[in-house]
Amino acid sequence: PNFLIGNKSRDDRGKIYFSGIDNVEQVMSFISFDDGFHMALADYVGDDDFVCRVNSPNWLKFYFRIEGRNTIVFDGVGEYCADGPRCMVITQPIGLEKADFLGAEGPNSWVTVFLSPDYVVNKLGIDPDGLPGHLARFLKTGVSDLYCQSLPLSWEMKTIITELMANPYQGDRKSVV
């Protein structure tokens, strides 16, 4: 997606990266469904503990971790444990760096869904007034404070994410069926 191509973040060794995943056995897949709807899928085993730093757009992010160890740190503002299985709902102000500290004790598998506020309201038809205050304000104004809620990954969510990860299609755009 364009918002990741322009990312000029660096890993802890100072190397500029695209996905932040350059020391792993399997690559991260990115899928763009629309200008306001993107997905990242990752299923890998790293060689050592790894830090991935990203300045994401001010979008609504759903982070579904099936397995693995991850600590998320928002530029000194907040620290969250995202050890799998977890579901996290995140909004991140523009310019606030997010660092993912990924463990190497086994597989790390997750899916992140990125949705622009416009896409959520106008394409999905979600009424912001029916959501908690922070999310409603974000979807109405497009301006966000840091919001990160961690929830257990339900059996239904884990089943769907596992099926997405097992999708056999490859290429620039993996077909998600």
Side-chain angles (χ1 to χ4, degrees):
N2 289 338
F3 68 81
L4 287 175
I5 292 171
N7 186 357
K8 300 298 183 197
S9 296
R10 297 177 181 270
D11 68 11
D12 280 351
R13 295 170 298 276
K15 180 178 178 181
I16 294 176
Y17 58 82
F18 168 63
S19 70
I21 310 296
D22 63 356
N23 66 334
V24 297
E25 295 174 5
Q26 299 168 358
V27 298
M28 181 181 280
S29 298
F30 294 98
I31 306 160
S32 293
F33 298 101
D34 197 336
D35 286 341
F37 177 15
H38 306 282
M39 185 183 299
L41 296 91
D43 187 14
Y44 71 91
V45 177
D47 296 331
D48 52 19
D49 288 349
F50 185 75
V51 179
C52 173
R53 299 182 187 282
V54 178
N55 288 303
S56 295
N58 190 23
W59 286 15
L60 179 60
K61 294 175 260 317
F62 293 95
Y63 176 73
F64 304 96
R65 176 168 280 283
I66 296 174
E67 60 186 336
R69 186 175 60 82
N70 183 14
T71 300
I72 299 172
V73 178
F74 291 94
D75 202 15
V77 177
E79 182 174 315
Y80 302 87
C81 177
D83 294 355
R86 300 298 302 163
C87 169
M88 299 184 82
V89 180
I90 301 170
T91 61
Q92 169 185 349
I94 293 173
L96 179 63
E97 182 181 77
K98 176 174 84 78
D100 288 276
F101 294 82
L102 306 169
E105 291 82 32
N108 276 279
S109 301
W110 76 87
V111 171
T112 303
V113 175
F114 302 87
L115 299 168
S116 71
D118 180 67
Y119 190 89
V120 172
V121 173
N122 296 315
K123 296 266 180 130
L124 297 179
I126 304 294
D127 180 7
D129 292 328
L131 297 174
H134 173 81
L135 292 176
R137 193 170 41 260
F138 169 63
L139 292 176
K140 288 177 181 179
T141 66
V143 177
S144 173
D145 294 322
L146 174 62
Y147 176 83
C148 187
Q149 179 165 2
S150 180
L151 306 162
L153 190 66
S154 71
W155 180 85
E156 293 85 0
M157 285 189 274
K158 187 172 182 178
T159 299
I160 292 168
I161 298 307
T162 301
E163 288 176 4
L164 285 171
M165 299 299 289
N167 182 343
Y169 300 104
Q170 300 294 320
D172 289 341
R173 287 183 183 245
K174 250 184 155 177
S175 297
V176 178
V177 259

